[in-house]
Amino acid sequence: MIRKLPPLNAVRAFEVAARHVSFTRAAEELSVTHGAVSRQVALLEEWLGKELFRRSASQLSLTEAGRTYLAEVSAVLDRLAVASMYVKEQAGPTAFHINAPPTFTMRWLIARMASFQRRHPEVEIRLTTSLAPVNFQEHGYDVAIRGAHAPLEGCSSLPFMTEITAAVCHPDLLGGVKLMRPADLERQALISYATEPFSWRDWLTEVGQPDLRPASTLKFEQMYFALQAAQEGLGFVLVPLFLAIDDILAGRLCAPFGMLGASRRNYYANFSTSSANYPVVRGFYEWLVREGHDTEESILAWAQSMGWRV
């Protein structure tokens, strides 16, 4: 059935004018002129073939048809407003709050955010950093990114990239040797950090050197500082390859043990169950998957060029 609808701007002007029983007050509410309201109402009356107002020099009043039409129009506009607000809320936030680990944010996420913003220029991005357990109710973020060995419970937890933690250092520490033996670390400094998921003790045990004692140790609070110390040639550090691959390809870092003793887990995008179906949330996850895949491809290509299996 083809709906024969009246001019909707005229209907809106009539509803406001009829509610106030005043063209002047309707013009103030609609931010238009008195004449514009009068013309819209006259247009609606012409379309209906009925007078909706009685006009005199000193008074404006509704006709019987006007009173009946006002009751129906008000109900329709109220339902339209409610339906529109519901759809708008379902579309998801225009401000998108992302929470992620500090070093991941600084070394990986921020470097790639421009491509997401180009796809969603209407979305305001808010970035915060934390390593604390995910709590949507307390912190109010839309997505929390965390590294873990299994999906988080109580939310929509989706993997987007594999974390491979390996030993890296500045190339100058190799002394011209392309591939070192783990035992060679007894002459080196080992850098660690308080937030590391995979310790040197774990790595040395994995490569058969549980009793090795390095020449010295350095310990930092955050991975970011430990990684920076390794770039400055202060020693060896265990970090996820996706945070180091750009520096490895640029020659600022190297992985002299290859994949030996490497630890693996996933990085997850965690969404609250109430926001998981928002279009912007789905779009962000799809973008993470693409970027994660590209990073993993870079790591794979590098490893293959070195003759290592990932």
Side-chain angles (χ1 to χ4, degrees):
M1 181 182 67
I2 299 176
R3 293 186 177 91
K4 293 183 178 181
L5 296 176
L8 296 183
N9 284 338
V11 172
R12 174 62 173 147
F14 162 75
E15 190 273 337
V16 178
R19 182 158 32 87
H20 292 298
V21 196
S22 167
F23 287 175
T24 300
R25 293 182 64 186
E28 292 173 356
E29 180 175 324
L30 295 172
S31 298
V32 296
T33 65
H34 179 285
V37 174
S38 179
R39 286 191 296 274
Q40 289 291 336
V41 171
L43 177 65
L44 181 62
E45 288 176 322
E46 182 181 351
W47 192 90
L48 293 170
K50 293 276 188 180
E51 285 192 347
L52 301 173
F53 288 98
R54 294 189 185 92
R55 300 162 177 83
S56 68
S58 59
Q59 188 177 8
L60 183 72
S61 61
L62 285 163
T63 64
E64 183 64 31
R67 284 192 294 271
T68 301
Y69 196 56
L70 173 63
E72 294 295 333
V73 164
S74 294
V76 169
L77 291 178
D78 286 343
R79 288 197 298 273
L80 179 61
V82 170
S84 300
M85 183 59 65
Y86 174 78
V87 172
K88 185 176 180 180
E89 289 175 352
Q90 290 299 107
T94 55
F96 190 49
H97 186 172
I98 304 165
N99 181 266
T103 308
F104 173 85
T105 300
M106 290 185 285
R107 302 274 304 206
W108 193 88
L109 186 59
I110 289 176
R112 293 163 173 80
M113 280 303 303
S115 66
F116 177 75
Q117 288 191 304
R118 284 194 294 270
R119 289 183 174 88
H120 300 276
E122 78 287 357
V123 178
E124 175 190 345
I125 302 297
R126 298 176 184 174
L127 281 175
T128 58
T129 63
S130 175
L131 292 168
V134 174
N135 188 321
F136 293 101
Q137 288 71 33
E138 181 178 346
H139 300 293
Y141 35 64
D142 298 297
V143 56
I145 296 173
R146 295 291 188 273
H149 290 289
L152 301 189
E153 297 182 356
C155 63
S156 180
S157 186
L158 304 172
F160 66 90
M161 186 163 55
T162 302
E163 177 194 69
I164 303 173
T165 298
V168 302
C169 69
H170 192 280
D172 288 351
L173 295 183
L174 302 188
V177 178
K178 290 186 177 180
L179 189 64
M180 299 179 69
R181 297 176 298 117
D184 295 333
L185 289 177
E186 65 182 5
R187 298 189 300 272
Q188 302 289 342
L190 300 187
I191 303 169
S192 60
Y193 45 97
T195 57
E196 60 190 8
F198 187 57
S199 69
W200 276 112
R201 179 177 295 180
D202 296 332
W203 188 89
L204 289 168
T205 300
E206 188 71 23
V207 299
Q209 297 288 332
D211 300 322
L212 184 140
R213 296 291 180 266
S216 62
T217 59
L218 287 170
K219 188 163 187 175
F220 295 88
E221 181 182 4
Q222 294 285 347
M223 184 198 302
Y224 181 82
F225 302 113
L227 186 52
Q228 185 63 36
Q231 281 187 256
E232 297 299 330
L234 297 182
F236 287 70
V237 68
L238 292 166
V239 292
L241 286 176
F242 64 68
L243 298 180
I245 187 61
D246 292 341
D247 290 308
I248 290 173
L249 295 176
R252 293 185 292 266
L253 288 171
C254 63
F257 303 104
M259 300 295 113
L260 188 65
S263 170
R264 295 171 185 265
R265 63 176 186 169
N266 285 324
Y267 254 58
Y268 292 88
N270 304 288
F271 308 100
S272 66
T273 53
S274 61
S275 67
N277 290 321
Y278 287 152
V280 66
V281 171
R282 293 198 304 270
F284 180 69
Y285 177 67
E286 291 168 359
W287 172 81
L288 279 177
V289 170
R290 286 193 298 270
E291 294 294 332
H293 175 75
D294 289 347
T295 302
E296 289 178 339
E297 286 294 301
S298 295
I299 294 172
L300 178 61
W302 161 74
Q304 288 175 340
S305 72
M306 300 295 292
W308 299 328
R309 296 181 62 185
V310 175

